[in-house]
């Protein structure tokens, strides 16, 4: 399965990352904000047989430490106006060193901008991710090291 052109970026605590790494298995991220658009994106990418990555940021200042592939996003309304999102993902992998800064990842462009790029060949300005855009999550362009095909060695 290929990586989707888009990914989710979210903030987690350092304690949560440590727990995920100790367990060595998949992770679960919970949020009280409804990730309705992220859930729609996850389903759309799954329908296209594409994996939706998640980038995990932690620390002060925020920086990406790990990434993974989302297995499921469930959004439930607990009470009127109270939500819970549960995002399940595979075991986290270390982030490539050149993509640890938030600004090294770009927010997903608007659909009109993507249409212009597709039809008119115009690649417009990209907006870098920052701490004001990552809460509660951000939809970004998937970093190239995730979407690149694996390198096979002849040795």
């Amino acid at each position: 399965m290929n990586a989707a052109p888009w990914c989710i970026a979210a903030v987690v605590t350092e304690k949560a990352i440590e727990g995920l790494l100790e367990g060595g298995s998949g992770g679960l991220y919970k949020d009280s904000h409804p990730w309705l658009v992220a859930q729609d994106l996850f389903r759309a990418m799954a329908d296209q047989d594409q994996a939706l990555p998640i980038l995990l940021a932690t620390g002060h200042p925020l920086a990406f430490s790990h990434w993974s592939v989302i297995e499921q996003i469930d959004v439930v309304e607990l009470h009127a106006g109270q939500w819970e999102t549960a995002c399940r993902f595979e075991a986290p992998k270390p982030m490539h060193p050149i993509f640890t800064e938030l600004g090294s990842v770009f927010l997903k462009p608007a659909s009109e901008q993507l249409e212009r790029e597709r039809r008119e060949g115009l690649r417009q300005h990209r907006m870098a991710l920052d701490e004001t855009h990552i809460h509660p999550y951000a939809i970004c362009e998937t970093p190239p090291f995730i979407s690149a095909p694996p390198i096979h060695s002849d040795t």
Side-chain angles (χ1 to χ4, degrees):
M1 184 180 295
N2 292 325
W6 319 118
C7 65
I8 302 296
V11 178
V12 296
T13 65
E14 291 180 32
K15 186 176 180 178
I17 289 286
E18 290 171 9
L20 292 169
L21 296 175
E22 284 178 11
S25 61
L28 175 65
Y29 178 88
K30 287 190 175 183
D31 193 356
S32 60
H33 182 83
W35 287 24
L36 298 170
V37 174
Q39 183 181 48
D40 291 345
L41 180 62
F42 171 77
R43 289 177 179 160
M45 295 301 100
D47 288 346
Q48 297 175 31
D49 200 29
Q50 294 182 325
L52 184 63
I54 185 168
L55 312 179
L56 304 172
T58 189
H60 301 284
L62 281 176
F64 292 117
S65 62
H66 292 81
W67 71 277
S68 187
V69 172
I70 296 174
E71 296 175 329
Q72 185 65 36
I73 297 177
D74 295 311
V75 181
V76 177
E77 187 171 17
L78 302 172
H79 306 286
Q82 290 188 321
W83 297 84
E84 181 178 89
T85 296
C87 178
R88 296 185 192 288
F89 49 87
E90 296 176 357
K93 302 160 199 59
M95 194 71 165
H96 191 286
I98 65 172
F99 291 100
T100 57
E101 291 186 26
L102 291 188
S104 66
V105 174
F106 297 97
L107 291 168
K108 178 185 180 289
S111 59
E112 295 82 6
Q113 182 175 336
L114 293 171
E115 183 68 8
R116 286 188 71 198
E117 290 178 10
R118 186 183 70 76
R119 294 178 62 194
E120 301 172 8
L122 300 173
R123 181 166 171 96
Q124 298 292 314
H125 173 74
R126 294 294 199 254
M127 192 164 120
L129 179 63
D130 61 31
E131 290 197 30
T132 61
H133 290 101
I134 196 168
H135 297 283
Y137 70 93
I139 300 174
C140 303
E141 293 184 3
T142 299
F145 81 95
I146 294 174
S147 58
I151 300 172
H152 297 287
S153 168
D154 292 337
T155 58

